[in-house]
Amino acid sequence: MTLIIAADVQDHLILAGDHCAVLSRGSNATEHVIIRNCQKIYSWKYGAIAGSGDVVLMVVFLRLFLLHERQNARVDVLQIASEAKAARIRAGSPPGECVGNIFFTLPASDGFQMHGVYIGEHRIRLETVDPISTCFSMQEQRSPDRTACNAFNGRLRPALFFSDTRAFDTHHLDLLRRFFECQSAMDDRVTCSFDVMFLDKRTGVGRFWTAPDGMGRRVSLGGELESAGERPVQRKRPEALFCRYSGLSKPCRAE
């Protein structure tokens, strides 16, 4: 399980992930396959979604999530997470190994919100990332230093602090770059390169960056390179899309 950062910056949502994925050769395997060019941030019509943990569990969840969204007005995220975990267990994966965190943006009555689903060995919970707060998703024994996490969160700035959108993006890209570089220097399962999505909570306008060398090229949420005169993609807010909430407010963290 590698590093996902999900933050609410009061007027924007930020979702970032490094490029490292660890694949197990089997349930009792001591060796793992490490991939260092894995994309973890994926766009969808209401923003972006990312996951860390059991890779197959993440794929099953994403497929069920998109299937439910296409078929129903209501999306029960806890049910989808339960179905994904049950599918992995039926396939022979021990309950303690099919765990992870999934973050995604969804529309709400007053704008977009960032949600996190924690799938543990014995429980599943759904949480909302609060304004001016950050969730860091990693295994407990590999998680970033608390002081570094607090420092990162303390440097988040709403858009009103900047002269324009590009200045907002540059500040937070630099903040992310330094955090991923620092974590990568201490952990060989985190890459310096990362992907990040910025989403305007009010309008649903999204901007996706890929940063292989710290500063990235700007692309639209559809994946095409954005020219200087092209506007970012805007996501419309539907009124009939809902989530079930657990009432918890602590940041998501893997067991």
mmCIF file of all heavy atoms in Angstrom, residues 109-139:
data_model
loop_
_atom_site.group_PDB
_atom_site.id
_atom_site.type_symbol
_atom_site.label_atom_id
_atom_site.label_comp_id
_atom_site.label_asym_id
_atom_site.label_seq_id
_atom_site.Cartn_x
_atom_site.Cartn_y
_atom_site.Cartn_z
ATOM 1 N N SER A 109 -25.296 18.801 -1.903
ATOM 2 C CA SER A 109 -26.302 19.853 -2.109
ATOM 3 C C SER A 109 -25.679 21.235 -2.269
ATOM 4 O O SER A 109 -26.236 22.098 -2.941
ATOM 5 C CB SER A 109 -27.284 19.856 -0.932
ATOM 6 O OG SER A 109 -26.593 20.085 0.289
ATOM 7 N N ASP A 110 -24.509 21.456 -1.651
ATOM 8 C CA ASP A 110 -23.898 22.784 -1.700
ATOM 9 C C ASP A 110 -22.520 22.768 -2.371
ATOM 10 O O ASP A 110 -21.711 23.655 -2.137
ATOM 11 C CB ASP A 110 -23.774 23.353 -0.285
ATOM 12 C CG ASP A 110 -22.971 22.435 0.633
ATOM 13 O OD1 ASP A 110 -22.701 21.277 0.242
ATOM 14 O OD2 ASP A 110 -22.614 22.874 1.739
ATOM 15 N N GLY A 111 -22.236 21.777 -3.191
ATOM 16 C CA GLY A 111 -20.942 21.691 -3.870
ATOM 17 C C GLY A 111 -20.388 20.287 -3.816
ATOM 18 O O GLY A 111 -21.054 19.357 -3.362
ATOM 19 N N PHE A 112 -19.159 20.133 -4.279
ATOM 20 C CA PHE A 112 -18.527 18.819 -4.293
ATOM 21 C C PHE A 112 -17.828 18.537 -2.966
ATOM 22 O O PHE A 112 -17.382 19.460 -2.273
ATOM 23 C CB PHE A 112 -17.517 18.729 -5.440
ATOM 24 C CG PHE A 112 -18.156 18.578 -6.789
ATOM 25 C CD1 PHE A 112 -18.782 19.660 -7.407
ATOM 26 C CD2 PHE A 112 -18.151 17.357 -7.450
ATOM 27 C CE1 PHE A 112 -19.379 19.525 -8.647
ATOM 28 C CE2 PHE A 112 -18.750 17.216 -8.686
ATOM 29 C CZ PHE A 112 -19.357 18.292 -9.284
ATOM 30 N N GLN A 113 -17.728 17.242 -2.611
ATOM 31 C CA GLN A 113 -17.057 16.823 -1.394
ATOM 32 C C GLN A 113 -16.104 15.671 -1.700
ATOM 33 O O GLN A 113 -16.299 14.926 -2.667
ATOM 34 C CB GLN A 113 -18.067 16.366 -0.334
ATOM 35 C CG GLN A 113 -18.916 17.474 0.250
ATOM 36 C CD GLN A 113 -19.878 16.964 1.310
ATOM 37 O OE1 GLN A 113 -20.402 15.856 1.212
ATOM 38 N NE2 GLN A 113 -20.110 17.776 2.333
ATOM 39 N N MET A 114 -15.082 15.530 -0.841
ATOM 40 C CA MET A 114 -14.156 14.407 -0.915
ATOM 41 C C MET A 114 -14.557 13.369 0.128
ATOM 42 O O MET A 114 -14.743 13.699 1.298
ATOM 43 C CB MET A 114 -12.724 14.871 -0.644
ATOM 44 C CG MET A 114 -11.688 13.755 -0.737
ATOM 45 S SD MET A 114 -11.198 13.399 -2.432
ATOM 46 C CE MET A 114 -10.174 14.856 -2.770
ATOM 47 N N HIS A 115 -14.704 12.130 -0.311
ATOM 48 C CA HIS A 115 -15.075 11.040 0.584
ATOM 49 C C HIS A 115 -13.973 9.985 0.595
ATOM 50 O O HIS A 115 -13.220 9.839 -0.373
ATOM 51 C CB HIS A 115 -16.380 10.386 0.144
ATOM 52 C CG HIS A 115 -17.530 11.343 0.045
ATOM 53 N ND1 HIS A 115 -18.244 11.763 1.140
ATOM 54 C CD2 HIS A 115 -18.074 11.978 -1.024
ATOM 55 C CE1 HIS A 115 -19.190 12.603 0.755
ATOM 56 N NE2 HIS A 115 -19.104 12.750 -0.551
ATOM 57 N N GLY A 116 -13.888 9.253 1.696
ATOM 58 C CA GLY A 116 -12.953 8.149 1.797
ATOM 59 C C GLY A 116 -13.647 6.904 2.313
ATOM 60 O O GLY A 116 -14.413 6.977 3.283
ATOM 61 N N VAL A 117 -13.428 5.784 1.646
ATOM 62 C CA VAL A 117 -13.944 4.496 2.107
ATOM 63 C C VAL A 117 -12.780 3.689 2.657
ATOM 64 O O VAL A 117 -11.788 3.455 1.954
ATOM 65 C CB VAL A 117 -14.625 3.707 0.971
ATOM 66 C CG1 VAL A 117 -15.064 2.335 1.477
ATOM 67 C CG2 VAL A 117 -15.816 4.456 0.435
ATOM 68 N N TYR A 118 -12.879 3.288 3.916
ATOM 69 C CA TYR A 118 -11.881 2.435 4.542
ATOM 70 C C TYR A 118 -12.419 1.005 4.550
ATOM 71 O O TYR A 118 -13.487 0.740 5.113
ATOM 72 C CB TYR A 118 -11.594 2.913 5.959
ATOM 73 C CG TYR A 118 -10.862 1.904 6.812
ATOM 74 C CD1 TYR A 118 -9.491 1.711 6.660
ATOM 75 C CD2 TYR A 118 -11.545 1.140 7.750
ATOM 76 C CE1 TYR A 118 -8.835 0.777 7.427
ATOM 77 C CE2 TYR A 118 -10.881 0.211 8.531
ATOM 78 C CZ TYR A 118 -9.526 0.028 8.374
ATOM 79 O OH TYR A 118 -8.871 -0.901 9.131
ATOM 80 N N ILE A 119 -11.709 0.093 3.932
ATOM 81 C CA ILE A 119 -12.081 -1.320 3.913
ATOM 82 C C ILE A 119 -11.044 -2.069 4.738
ATOM 83 O O ILE A 119 -9.904 -2.259 4.310
ATOM 84 C CB ILE A 119 -12.135 -1.883 2.476
ATOM 85 C CG1 ILE A 119 -13.089 -1.058 1.610
ATOM 86 C CG2 ILE A 119 -12.563 -3.350 2.489
ATOM 87 C CD1 ILE A 119 -13.136 -1.486 0.158
ATOM 88 N N GLY A 120 -11.401 -2.454 5.943
ATOM 89 C CA GLY A 120 -10.487 -3.160 6.830
ATOM 90 C C GLY A 120 -10.773 -4.650 6.856
ATOM 91 O O GLY A 120 -11.599 -5.173 6.093
ATOM 92 N N GLU A 121 -10.092 -5.333 7.751
ATOM 93 C CA GLU A 121 -10.283 -6.788 7.849
ATOM 94 C C GLU A 121 -11.669 -7.135 8.356
ATOM 95 O O GLU A 121 -12.306 -8.070 7.870
ATOM 96 C CB GLU A 121 -9.221 -7.383 8.775
ATOM 97 C CG GLU A 121 -9.338 -8.897 8.926
ATOM 98 C CD GLU A 121 -8.233 -9.488 9.771
ATOM 99 O OE1 GLU A 121 -7.371 -8.719 10.258
ATOM 100 O OE2 GLU A 121 -8.231 -10.726 9.941
ATOM 101 N N HIS A 122 -12.174 -6.353 9.318
ATOM 102 C CA HIS A 122 -13.460 -6.682 9.943
ATOM 103 C C HIS A 122 -14.500 -5.579 9.830
ATOM 104 O O HIS A 122 -15.633 -5.758 10.277
ATOM 105 C CB HIS A 122 -13.252 -7.001 11.427
ATOM 106 C CG HIS A 122 -12.287 -8.114 11.677
ATOM 107 N ND1 HIS A 122 -12.510 -9.403 11.256
ATOM 108 C CD2 HIS A 122 -11.059 -8.101 12.285
ATOM 109 C CE1 HIS A 122 -11.490 -10.167 11.610
ATOM 110 N NE2 HIS A 122 -10.589 -9.404 12.227
ATOM 111 N N ARG A 123 -14.154 -4.442 9.257
ATOM 112 C CA ARG A 123 -15.121 -3.343 9.200
ATOM 113 C C ARG A 123 -14.889 -2.498 7.960
ATOM 114 O O ARG A 123 -13.804 -2.478 7.386
ATOM 115 C CB ARG A 123 -15.039 -2.463 10.447
ATOM 116 C CG ARG A 123 -13.661 -1.849 10.654
ATOM 117 C CD ARG A 123 -13.641 -0.923 11.844
ATOM 118 N NE ARG A 123 -12.312 -0.381 12.086
ATOM 119 C CZ ARG A 123 -12.053 0.641 12.876
ATOM 120 N NH1 ARG A 123 -13.055 1.255 13.498
ATOM 121 N NH2 ARG A 123 -10.827 1.084 13.052
ATOM 122 N N ILE A 124 -15.944 -1.789 7.579
ATOM 123 C CA ILE A 124 -15.903 -0.858 6.455
ATOM 124 C C ILE A 124 -16.560 0.433 6.926
ATOM 125 O O ILE A 124 -17.611 0.397 7.572
ATOM 126 C CB ILE A 124 -16.654 -1.419 5.229
ATOM 127 C CG1 ILE A 124 -15.999 -2.715 4.740
ATOM 128 C CG2 ILE A 124 -16.701 -0.394 4.095
ATOM 129 C CD1 ILE A 124 -16.791 -3.421 3.658
ATOM 130 N N ARG A 125 -15.938 1.561 6.626
ATOM 131 C CA ARG A 125 -16.562 2.823 7.014
ATOM 132 C C ARG A 125 -16.378 3.855 5.907
ATOM 133 O O ARG A 125 -15.432 3.799 5.127
ATOM 134 C CB ARG A 125 -16.005 3.341 8.336
ATOM 135 C CG ARG A 125 -14.553 3.786 8.299
ATOM 136 C CD ARG A 125 -14.163 4.439 9.635
ATOM 137 N NE ARG A 125 -12.804 4.941 9.622
ATOM 138 C CZ ARG A 125 -11.758 4.310 10.110
ATOM 139 N NH1 ARG A 125 -11.932 3.108 10.659
ATOM 140 N NH2 ARG A 125 -10.557 4.842 10.056
ATOM 141 N N LEU A 126 -17.294 4.796 5.890
ATOM 142 C CA LEU A 126 -17.286 5.891 4.911
ATOM 143 C C LEU A 126 -17.158 7.205 5.659
ATOM 144 O O LEU A 126 -17.887 7.449 6.624
ATOM 145 C CB LEU A 126 -18.575 5.869 4.090
ATOM 146 C CG LEU A 126 -18.805 7.034 3.124
ATOM 147 C CD1 LEU A 126 -17.754 7.037 2.023
ATOM 148 C CD2 LEU A 126 -20.203 6.948 2.520
ATOM 149 N N GLU A 127 -16.238 8.058 5.224
ATOM 150 C CA GLU A 127 -15.984 9.316 5.900
ATOM 151 C C GLU A 127 -15.895 10.452 4.900
ATOM 152 O O GLU A 127 -15.652 10.228 3.714
ATOM 153 C CB GLU A 127 -14.691 9.239 6.719
ATOM 154 C CG GLU A 127 -14.735 8.136 7.770
ATOM 155 C CD GLU A 127 -13.419 7.945 8.484
ATOM 156 O OE1 GLU A 127 -12.394 8.428 7.961
ATOM 157 O OE2 GLU A 127 -13.421 7.321 9.556
ATOM 158 N N THR A 128 -16.075 11.661 5.367
ATOM 159 C CA THR A 128 -15.945 12.861 4.550
ATOM 160 C C THR A 128 -14.727 13.649 5.014
ATOM 161 O O THR A 128 -14.540 13.836 6.220
ATOM 162 C CB THR A 128 -17.204 13.732 4.665
ATOM 163 O OG1 THR A 128 -18.355 12.975 4.267
ATOM 164 C CG2 THR A 128 -17.083 14.965 3.781
ATOM 165 N N VAL A 129 -13.905 14.094 4.073
ATOM 166 C CA VAL A 129 -12.743 14.912 4.410
ATOM 167 C C VAL A 129 -13.233 16.320 4.714
ATOM 168 O O VAL A 129 -13.877 16.970 3.881
ATOM 169 C CB VAL A 129 -11.716 14.920 3.259
ATOM 170 C CG1 VAL A 129 -10.512 15.793 3.614
ATOM 171 C CG2 VAL A 129 -11.258 13.495 2.938
ATOM 172 N N ASP A 130 -12.941 16.807 5.905
ATOM 173 C CA ASP A 130 -13.415 18.120 6.343
ATOM 174 C C ASP A 130 -12.613 19.249 5.692
ATOM 175 O O ASP A 130 -11.464 19.038 5.267
ATOM 176 C CB ASP A 130 -13.297 18.242 7.866
ATOM 177 C CG ASP A 130 -14.205 17.276 8.590
ATOM 178 O OD1 ASP A 130 -15.307 17.000 8.068
ATOM 179 O OD2 ASP A 130 -13.814 16.780 9.667
ATOM 180 N N PRO A 131 -13.175 20.462 5.611
ATOM 181 C CA PRO A 131 -12.427 21.607 5.066
ATOM 182 C C PRO A 131 -11.130 21.864 5.823
ATOM 183 O O PRO A 131 -11.060 21.731 7.046
ATOM 184 C CB PRO A 131 -13.410 22.769 5.224
ATOM 185 C CG PRO A 131 -14.766 22.114 5.201
ATOM 186 C CD PRO A 131 -14.575 20.804 5.915
ATOM 187 N N ILE A 132 -10.103 22.234 5.079
ATOM 188 C CA ILE A 132 -8.759 22.497 5.603
ATOM 189 C C ILE A 132 -8.263 21.301 6.421
ATOM 190 O O ILE A 132 -7.816 21.418 7.567
ATOM 191 C CB ILE A 132 -8.698 23.799 6.425
ATOM 192 C CG1 ILE A 132 -9.381 24.931 5.686
ATOM 193 C CG2 ILE A 132 -7.257 24.184 6.720
ATOM 194 C CD1 ILE A 132 -8.734 25.267 4.344
ATOM 195 N N SER A 133 -8.371 20.135 5.842
ATOM 196 C CA SER A 133 -7.837 18.925 6.467
ATOM 197 C C SER A 133 -7.370 17.970 5.384
ATOM 198 O O SER A 133 -7.745 18.092 4.217
ATOM 199 C CB SER A 133 -8.885 18.257 7.360
ATOM 200 O OG SER A 133 -9.975 17.795 6.589
ATOM 201 N N THR A 134 -6.524 17.022 5.785
ATOM 202 C CA THR A 134 -5.883 16.112 4.841
ATOM 203 C C THR A 134 -5.902 14.699 5.385
ATOM 204 O O THR A 134 -5.697 14.485 6.591
ATOM 205 C CB THR A 134 -4.412 16.523 4.593
ATOM 206 O OG1 THR A 134 -4.355 17.915 4.309
ATOM 207 C CG2 THR A 134 -3.818 15.743 3.436
ATOM 208 N N CYS A 135 -6.130 13.720 4.505
ATOM 209 C CA CYS A 135 -5.979 12.308 4.824
ATOM 210 C C CYS A 135 -4.769 11.764 4.072
ATOM 211 O O CYS A 135 -4.607 12.022 2.881
ATOM 212 C CB CYS A 135 -7.223 11.512 4.422
ATOM 213 S SG CYS A 135 -8.672 11.875 5.414
ATOM 214 N N PHE A 136 -3.922 10.986 4.762
ATOM 215 C CA PHE A 136 -2.761 10.346 4.174
ATOM 216 C C PHE A 136 -2.980 8.842 4.263
ATOM 217 O O PHE A 136 -3.109 8.297 5.354
ATOM 218 C CB PHE A 136 -1.478 10.735 4.910
ATOM 219 C CG PHE A 136 -1.215 12.211 4.928
ATOM 220 C CD1 PHE A 136 -1.786 13.018 5.909
ATOM 221 C CD2 PHE A 136 -0.413 12.799 3.974
ATOM 222 C CE1 PHE A 136 -1.545 14.374 5.932
ATOM 223 C CE2 PHE A 136 -0.158 14.151 3.996
ATOM 224 C CZ PHE A 136 -0.731 14.947 4.976
ATOM 225 N N SER A 137 -3.027 8.166 3.131
ATOM 226 C CA SER A 137 -3.352 6.746 3.114
ATOM 227 C C SER A 137 -2.094 5.929 2.873
ATOM 228 O O SER A 137 -1.528 5.932 1.780
ATOM 229 C CB SER A 137 -4.379 6.452 2.018
ATOM 230 O OG SER A 137 -4.602 5.056 1.922
ATOM 231 N N MET A 138 -1.655 5.208 3.922
ATOM 232 C CA MET A 138 -0.530 4.278 3.840
ATOM 233 C C MET A 138 -0.718 3.217 4.911
ATOM 234 O O MET A 138 -1.563 3.354 5.801
ATOM 235 C CB MET A 138 0.809 4.981 4.067
ATOM 236 C CG MET A 138 1.236 5.932 2.970
ATOM 237 S SD MET A 138 2.937 6.497 3.203
ATOM 238 C CE MET A 138 3.843 4.999 2.794
ATOM 239 N N GLN A 139 0.087 2.142 4.831
ATOM 240 C CA GLN A 139 0.103 1.178 5.915
ATOM 241 C C GLN A 139 0.618 1.852 7.174
ATOM 242 O O GLN A 139 1.477 2.733 7.116
ATOM 243 C CB GLN A 139 0.981 -0.022 5.561
ATOM 244 C CG GLN A 139 0.368 -0.943 4.515
ATOM 245 C CD GLN A 139 1.241 -2.133 4.221
ATOM 246 O OE1 GLN A 139 2.459 -2.075 4.359
ATOM 247 N NE2 GLN A 139 0.631 -3.219 3.801
#
